[in-house]
Amino acid sequence: MSLVDLFLEPTKHFEAQRERPTVLLPLALFVLAVAGFTLAYFLRVDPDWYADFALTMAGREMTAAEIAQAKQFMPSARVQGYIGAVVLAIVLPLMFALFALYYFLAGKVAGAALSFKHAFALVVWASLPGVLGYVVGLVGAFTMAPQTPQHALMLTHVDPLLVQLPFDHAFSSLAKQFDLLALWSIGLTALGWKVMTRGGWGGALFVALLPNVLIYGAWLAWALTR
C-alpha cells in the first residue's frame, strides 16, 4: 500500500512513484487535514474571546470604542472558519504546484528526466509527515478549552513544543510556524529526488534543502532586524 510504504519503506515508495507518479491521495489528505483543523478550531473557539485576541494581536493599541467598532466589521469565528477552510483548499494545491515547479526546473538544470507530474508527486508525498501534526491539532481542537490560541494546538511546532515565546518576541512568528516534522519531509524529499532522478545524495540534499534555507533564512534575517 503506497501510503504505508511512504512511512515504512520510503525507498520502495519512491521507486513506485518514479514508475507511476500519483498526486490525488496525498494532496487530498493534506488539504483535508489542514482545512479540517482550521474549521474545527474556529467552530470550537469562544467567538468573543477570539475577537478580542485577534484585535490584540493586530499590534496597535485601540480604545474601547475602536475595539467595539472593529468587532462590528469582523466576520464571526464560525464564518472565519468556513472562509479559512475554503481558502486553504485553494491555496495549498497552488503552493504545492509552485514547489513542484522548482523541482521540475531543478531537474532540467541537473539534466534529470523529471516531469512536472513526478515533481508534484515528490512534493505532496514528501509533505505528508506534516499531516500528522494537523491530526494532533485536530484532536486538540475537539478537546481544548474554548479560550485557546490556535498555535497552542500545533504541538509539533517549535513553539509550543520547545519554547513558549510572547507574541511580541522577535522570533515568535518563526517559532510558532516552524514545524519540526518539516525535517522529516526534507529527508523524504532528498530520498525521493535521489530515487526519481537516480542521482547521488549530495545533489539530492542540496535540492531538498535549498528552498528551506532560503525561506527560513530570510525569515530569520527579518526577525534579527526587528
Side-chain angles (χ1 to χ4, degrees):
M1 184 176 179
S2 188
L3 184 59
V4 174
D5 286 342
L6 175 70
F7 295 101
L8 299 183
E9 298 182 274
T11 299
K12 176 182 175 181
H13 170 80
F14 284 115
E15 286 173 347
Q17 290 299 309
R18 184 181 63 203
E19 301 302 322
R20 188 179 179 183
T22 59
V23 299
L24 290 182
L25 176 60
L27 181 60
L29 288 175
F30 203 97
V31 170
L32 286 174
V34 178
F37 165 69
T38 301
L39 185 58
Y41 174 79
F42 281 103
L43 292 181
R44 288 271 303 164
V45 73
D46 180 334
D48 292 329
W49 172 85
Y50 184 80
D52 290 332
F53 176 77
L55 291 172
T56 300
M57 292 301 101
R60 71 183 187 89
E61 294 187 8
M62 302 174 69
T63 65
E66 288 175 329
I67 291 175
Q69 185 178 25
K71 284 183 176 180
Q72 293 180 356
F73 293 96
M74 287 180 64
S76 67
R78 183 179 293 270
V79 171
Q80 289 185 59
Y82 289 126
I83 293 174
V86 171
V87 169
L88 285 168
I90 296 172
V91 170
L92 285 173
L94 295 177
M95 181 188 71
F96 284 131
L98 183 61
F99 275 94
L101 179 62
Y102 158 73
Y103 290 111
F104 172 70
L105 294 177
K108 294 293 185 183
V109 172
L114 193 74
S115 69
F116 183 80
K117 187 173 182 179
H118 280 90
F120 203 108
L122 172 63
V123 172
V124 291
W125 280 110
S127 298
L128 275 190
V131 169
L132 300 177
Y134 284 101
V135 171
V136 172
L138 185 61
V139 173
F142 285 117
T143 59
M144 71 179 188
Q147 297 184 358
T148 301
Q150 190 174 20
H151 83 275
L153 303 177
M154 302 307 295
L155 299 181
T156 60
H157 290 200
V158 171
D159 183 347
L161 180 62
L162 301 179
V163 296
Q164 293 81 45
L165 299 178
F167 282 93
D168 59 353
H169 193 283
F171 296 101
S172 176
S173 179
L174 178 59
K176 288 174 173 58
Q177 293 299 320
F178 186 81
D179 188 352
L180 293 171
L181 292 173
L183 301 177
W184 187 357
S185 291
I186 291 171
L188 285 176
T189 300
L191 175 62
W193 175 272
K194 179 179 180 297
V195 171
M196 286 186 169
T197 63
R198 298 179 180 176
W201 274 113
L205 288 170
F206 177 81
V207 170
L209 284 169
L210 181 59
N212 293 278
V213 170
L214 292 177
I215 293 170
Y216 289 108
W219 203 338
L220 178 61
W222 175 78
L224 289 171
T225 62
R226 293 183 61 188

